[in-house]
Amino acid sequence: MASVTDPDADEHSSVSITLGFAKFEVFGAFSGSSMEAPGSSSASLGADDDCFAKSFPSPVKQELLTIRDLGVLNSVSPAASACHQHIFPCILEYALSNRISVARPKSEDKRNAILDAATRVFAERGLSAAPTSEISKRAGVAEGTLFTYFETKGDLINALYRSIKLELADAMMSGFPRKKNVRTRLRHVWDRYVNWGVTNPEQRKVLAQLQVSEMLSKESIEAGGAPFVEMQNMIRDAIDQHILRVDVPIEMISEMMAAVAEASMNLIALKPAMANKYRNSGFEVYWAGIARK
């Protein structure tokens, strides 16, 4: 192990090394003790033997302050000129070779803020025209922070799709009346779908864009559909029991609900006072199209 001599240092001397990633404070006597960071093994400093004659100090206190750009040296400052300049290369090399890569835990609130901002910007500008810089600005974070949570814009789009689909599924399937008849269960899903769309116009607009986006991965599409499996199974069983029309494919029944519900939402947005009439009439039109006569 390489060593260093500093005859002028005393037990109160210290050296602070601040990197963009971390701050290392080395303190104690600069002779007669080995330099070992807690949890790490002694490391050769690659220093010249003539320059370093004795063991480096122990302990080494490492205070991780901020996560910035790992490896960028911001400052090296001796405390009250406690040690000679020839010690700095030794300390610096040790710090760089023994740094601990500790990532700051990601914040769920910050992640949600980015997704909320993305929803607003995508609703205004569309998926392709919306810049990540604007999303970051709306979320109140640096653009680099956005890419800490989502490596690419595509990752952000996929995460947002999953998030909105889960939110919609929670709204539609909450309190699902499993023991009721098919019409009652479908009416439950219908009402909550329409109400969600009216209450969340931006999510509804963005979801329409996301569902036809080529940036969606197969995994995201499957994840987005998973919460609706129970409803799909209900429709399939109703077809097998001849409650619903056997000549209408199951995927058509689902698409018909989405289409008629969208028309109902649009009308309610134009004339909120007619909300109940449009919601009820929309369901009757839908049911008439899929129920066995």
Side-chain angles (χ1 to χ4, degrees), residues 14-17 23-27 59-63 79 91:
S14 66
V15 173
S16 293
I17 299 176
K23 177 182 178 181
F24 299 87
E25 184 180 1
V26 181
F27 62 98
V60 176
K61 182 181 180 183
Q62 300 180 341
E63 300 179 28
I91 300 173

Side-chain angles (χ1 to χ4, degrees), residues 107-289:
S107 163
E108 190 66 21
D109 289 341
K110 191 168 292 185
R111 183 180 187 276
N112 290 336
I114 294 171
L115 291 174
D116 289 343
T119 299
R120 296 195 301 272
V121 177
F122 287 149
E124 294 171 7
R125 302 194 183 187
L127 299 183
S128 59
T132 53
S133 58
E134 179 63 20
I135 295 172
S136 301
K137 182 179 178 181
R138 297 281 189 94
V141 301
E143 191 169 7
T145 300
L146 183 151
F147 289 116
T148 297
Y149 287 81
F150 308 99
E151 292 187 5
T152 66
K153 185 178 179 180
D155 289 339
L156 173 59
I157 285 173
N158 277 270
L160 182 59
Y161 173 77
R162 294 186 186 207
S163 176
I164 294 177
K165 288 287 283 188
L166 286 174
E167 179 185 332
L168 175 58
D170 183 63
M172 291 173 64
M173 302 305 294
S174 178
F176 186 65
R178 293 176 176 83
K179 296 183 178 181
K180 300 293 184 178
N181 60 40
V182 173
R183 179 186 169 96
T184 300
R185 282 179 282 170
L186 276 177
R187 181 61 194 258
H188 173 94
V189 170
W190 169 273
D191 284 344
R192 281 154 182 76
Y193 180 26
V194 172
N195 291 343
W196 176 86
V198 172
T199 306
N200 302 279
E202 289 180 329
Q203 286 92 327
R204 173 190 159 207
K205 184 176 181 179
V206 173
L207 182 58
Q209 299 176 52
L210 290 169
Q211 288 175 325
V212 296
S213 173
E214 295 181 354
M215 299 184 73
L216 286 185
S217 67
K218 179 181 178 182
E219 292 75 16
S220 291
I221 294 172
E222 291 175 350
F228 300 93
V229 169
E230 182 175 6
M231 188 177 73
Q232 293 297 313
N233 289 339
M234 176 197 71
I235 293 174
R236 187 176 288 106
D237 290 343
I239 292 173
D240 292 342
Q241 297 168 23
H242 299 281
I243 297 171
L244 300 181
R245 291 172 55 178
V246 297
D247 59 325
V248 179
I250 186 171
E251 58 270 22
M252 178 64 74
I253 291 176
S254 297
E255 289 297 324
M256 286 173 64
M257 171 179 277
V260 181
E262 284 291 323
S264 301
M265 295 174 204
N266 290 336
L267 290 171
I268 292 172
L270 291 173
K271 297 181 179 180
M274 299 281 288
N276 288 334
K277 184 173 182 61
Y278 289 141
R279 188 186 300 108
N280 294 338
S281 297
F283 180 76
E284 293 302 328
V285 169
Y286 172 58
W287 180 254

